[in-house]
Amino acid sequence: MADADAIIVGAGLAGLVAATELAQAGRRVIVLDQEPRQSLGGQAFWSLGGLFLVDSPEQRRLGIRDSHDLAVQDWLGAAGFDRAEDYWPRRWAEAYLAFAAGEKRAWLRAMGHRIFPVVGWAERGGNSVPRFHLTWGTGPGLLEPFERRALEAEGKGLIAFRFRHRVDRLLTAGGAVEGVEGAVLAPSEAARGVATSRERGGDFVLRAPAVIVASGGIGGNFDLVRHHWPERLGRPPSAMVSGVPAHVDGRMLGIAEDAGARPINRDRMWHYTEGVRNWAPIWPDHGIRILPGPSPLWLDARGRRLPGPLYPGCDTLATLAHLRGTSFDHSWFVLTQSIIRKEFALSGSEQNPDLTNRDWLLTLRRALGRRATGPVEAFKRHGEDFVVRDDLDGLVAGMNALAGEPLLDAAAVRREVEMRDRSAVNAFGKDGQIIGIRHARRYVGDRLVRTAKPHALLDPAHGPLIAVRLHILTRKTLGGLETDLDGRVFGQDLAVIPGLYAAGEASGFGGGGMHGYRALEGSFLGGCLFSGRQAGRAVARTV
């Protein structure tokens, strides 16, 4: 006898979207998660809440000319689909782009979601125009309508949350998935994101005609990241920082594979090169990504400037591949107080209290004064990866002390800085990065809140000088369980496995990898929304 109409493994954003779609259709749902209730919402809670939208009212108000055709051109150019197994990923990409250019904004807005009025231009190497729409309220603000709907459905008896329930096996019969079994873990009062115990307190078996795997990716499991690391990105890092909590461990992908599911494109992944160690960590190896503007000078561990167009905010994976070609796991930003004040943002809801708490007065202070935001200034004071000095020789000495060996030659670093500075103060300079900065400032959003006026790094009026040691920060799995447009999972025999669905990062955000090799910024959370909605609605039609 079935315990519910559907079981969802994972109480993150994709799982919540699927659950609320099912509940809205009157179906009974059990949502399982190995973490405690206080971690409801999963990774999305910690996000900046950026969403990929196409030809939005926010874009049009800022004079941004966007279109579905341009978005398709950008997406397919970045994705580089080139494999036989890219059939469903490409179908998902096409469907998602139609969603992002169509009803996505209105669907969210009807539930109370709101967008910050300045559209960001992240990952300029992929997006032709600004498309990064920041949720007013960041990650918690995006989760809010789905948590509210889920808790209302819980009160009506349509959704049952079973926290601290870890799935260890998918139950199958006659080639179909009919339920799950696993361990009931010991209760935990640990704060959101803190690693919890895996002490077993009991066992459970649950049955339903449909199981949706929405358990996330592998970013918290460094061993799996290294195992699937592709040769095209160079040598896997020996040292990394984690952009996701420890429970993002990839277990369910292996469990689904053991039940016959077909994972594809596991070598496609998305990791950032601008990670810093969190001076107040929540989870193991906790890293925070710097979302830089275009102005910092980027040096490798030996002090060599990265070649164009590998400038901050341009091409994440190309920069990653270049840096993996060195024999070091770190690189450096060199910048000034004027740059850090205007250009540095830290990824994460907890690092942006003004936006997260919807505080307009605090948000407006970003454009005033000499200081950066409070969290950025706190990293500058307390972060182990930050060096602050009044002169370049002292800065280089501090960088070498932090690295633990004299990798940087002060004279060589000075040559790189002075060559850059000559172009910065010359209206006719040919430095590619400086040209890019001036181009960025043509967009009113960047000129107001994101891109500093070009200036010499050695100009004391813009000091002090700042160096930031950067680490590889793990983030997203771009491959996953192969699915059709209803989220139904394919088996290793290429036939659909009855009763098994996947959504979110576990499905490569749809189809087993709708981003291809490279993602356009803002499309991860949107992928969770769309794939969760697709799977939830499909299950509701069939059970």
Side-chain angles (χ1 to χ4, degrees):
M1 179 178 177
D3 297 287
D5 295 314
I7 294 168
I8 298 175
V9 184
L13 179 59
L16 284 175
V17 173
T20 53
E21 290 292 331
L22 280 157
Q24 186 174 345
R27 307 297 187 266
R28 294 180 304 112
V29 188
I30 296 174
V31 180
L32 306 175
D33 202 288
Q34 63 183 349
E35 296 307 300
R37 181 178 281 269
Q38 51 268 33
S39 286
L40 180 65
Q43 298 176 63
F45 176 89
W46 302 104
S47 75
L48 199 55
L51 293 173
F52 178 94
L53 294 173
V54 178
D55 192 25
S56 69
E58 289 77 18
Q59 288 175 301
R60 293 194 292 273
R61 279 195 290 268
L62 291 167
I64 300 166
R65 298 179 61 183
D66 199 7
S67 68
H68 176 260
D69 287 345
L70 182 60
V72 170
Q73 175 182 306
D74 287 349
W75 191 290
L76 296 182
F81 295 123
D82 61 359
R83 299 173 177 174
E85 56 264 38
D86 281 334
Y87 173 78
W88 285 109
R90 182 167 182 144
R91 296 271 315 265
W92 269 90
E94 293 165 352
Y96 175 70
L97 287 164
F99 176 63
E103 65 176 308
K104 179 180 178 180
R105 182 183 181 277
W107 176 63
L108 289 169
R109 190 171 179 83
M111 291 184 276
H113 178 267
R114 294 296 182 266
I115 294 169
F116 187 69
V118 179
V119 182
W121 196 352
E123 196 67 19
R124 296 164 191 266
N127 283 302
S128 294
V129 298
R131 293 194 180 106
F132 191 81
H133 294 69
L134 186 65
T135 296
W136 185 233
T138 66
L142 180 60
L143 282 167
E144 193 175 84
F146 299 102
E147 288 185 350
R148 182 180 66 248
R149 295 171 71 203
L151 295 177
E152 289 172 356
E154 183 183 28
K156 296 175 181 178
L158 290 171
I159 293 179
F161 287 104
R162 306 281 178 89
F163 296 100
R164 300 298 283 160
H165 279 57
R166 184 189 69 198
V167 173
D168 294 330
R169 190 166 73 91
L170 295 175
L171 302 177
T172 60
V177 169
E178 61 175 20
V180 298
E181 68 176 18
V184 180
L185 303 177
S188 173
E189 299 300 321
R192 180 189 290 271
V194 173
T196 57
S197 80
R198 292 296 176 257
E199 179 185 350
R200 195 181 191 107
D203 302 299
F204 72 90
V205 175
L206 294 168
R207 299 182 186 277
V211 174
I212 302 175
V213 176
S215 54
I218 68 172
N221 187 331
F222 288 176
D223 290 339
L224 270 182
V225 169
R226 292 188 183 101
H227 178 73
H228 293 301
W229 192 274
E231 289 186 11
R232 65 181 177 276
L233 292 181
R235 177 180 57 86
S238 300
M240 295 181 279
V241 294
S242 179
V244 295
H247 61 77
V248 186
D249 55 16
R251 286 185 73 256
M252 273 306 301
L253 294 172
I255 290 166
E257 187 175 14
D258 289 343
R262 183 179 187 234
I264 59 174
N265 297 318
R266 285 186 281 197
D267 63 316
R268 293 178 181 169
M269 51 185 70
W270 189 265
H271 307 304
Y272 291 107
T273 50
E274 311 102 334
V276 293
R277 291 194 176 276
N278 193 342
W279 65 271
I282 297 171
W283 53 79
D285 297 304
H286 189 171
I288 297 291
R289 186 208 171 190
I290 295 170
L291 286 80
S295 299
L297 178 66
W298 205 335
L299 306 176
D300 68 15
R302 285 288 190 183
R304 296 165 296 206
R305 188 180 185 185
L306 270 60
L310 305 183
Y311 308 126
C314 281
D315 191 329
T316 291
L317 289 193
T319 304
L320 177 60
H322 175 82
L323 289 173
R324 297 317 309 141
T326 72
S327 55
F328 299 94
D329 289 338
H330 72 276
S331 61
W332 294 97
F333 276 165
V334 176
L335 59 151
T336 64
Q337 179 64 27
S338 293
I339 293 172
I340 202 171
R341 185 202 72 77
K342 187 136 187 184
E343 297 194 4
F344 261 39
L346 300 172
S347 181
S349 55
E350 82 285 9
Q351 302 296 333
N352 295 274
D354 50 352
L355 300 170
T356 300
N357 297 326
R358 302 183 175 107
D359 186 328
W360 276 113
L361 182 60
L362 193 58
T363 301
L364 289 172
R365 290 180 185 172
R366 289 178 177 239
L368 304 173
R370 285 273 297 161
R371 294 171 62 83
T373 64
V376 171
E377 290 289 344
F379 264 86
K380 201 178 78 176
R381 290 193 306 272
H382 305 299
E384 67 178 72
D385 296 309
F386 285 70
V387 181
V388 183
R389 297 289 189 275
D390 289 325
D391 64 278
L392 187 58
D393 288 345
L395 188 77
V396 174
M399 295 161 73
N400 279 330
L402 185 57
E405 54 183 320
L407 298 174
L408 301 172
D409 176 74
V413 172
R414 182 173 292 276
R415 282 195 298 273
E416 296 284 11
V417 171
E418 289 178 344
M419 282 192 292
R420 182 250 186 224
D421 281 1
R422 291 186 192 104
S423 282
V425 298
N426 188 330
F428 300 96
K430 64 180 181 179
D431 184 280
Q433 183 177 6
I434 303 301
I435 292 170
I437 294 168
R438 291 187 173 123
H439 180 266
R441 285 177 58 84
R442 293 171 57 190
Y443 168 48
V444 64
D446 276 358
R447 188 168 64 252
L448 288 175
V449 298
R450 195 73 177 109
T451 305
K453 187 176 180 180
H455 61 269
L457 298 178
L458 297 181
D459 184 347
H462 293 278
L465 287 167
I466 303 162
V468 186
R469 180 176 60 179
L470 306 173
H471 308 269
I472 306 302
L473 179 138
T474 62
R475 185 69 93 194
K476 292 299 179 187
T477 308
L478 297 188
L481 301 176
E482 186 180 26
T483 64
D484 67 9
L485 289 176
D486 285 335
R488 298 186 301 170
V489 175
F490 288 97
Q492 292 163 18
D493 61 357
L494 306 185
V496 165
I497 300 176
L500 184 60
Y501 296 76
E505 198 174 347
S507 67
F509 302 93
M514 73 171 188
H515 300 94
Y517 288 95
R518 291 178 175 83
L520 298 185
E521 288 283 8
S523 57
F524 294 145
L525 292 171
C528 290
L529 294 171
F530 185 56
S531 61
R533 193 177 88 147
Q534 289 289 98
R537 292 183 176 184
V539 172
R541 291 193 299 267
T542 59
V543 298

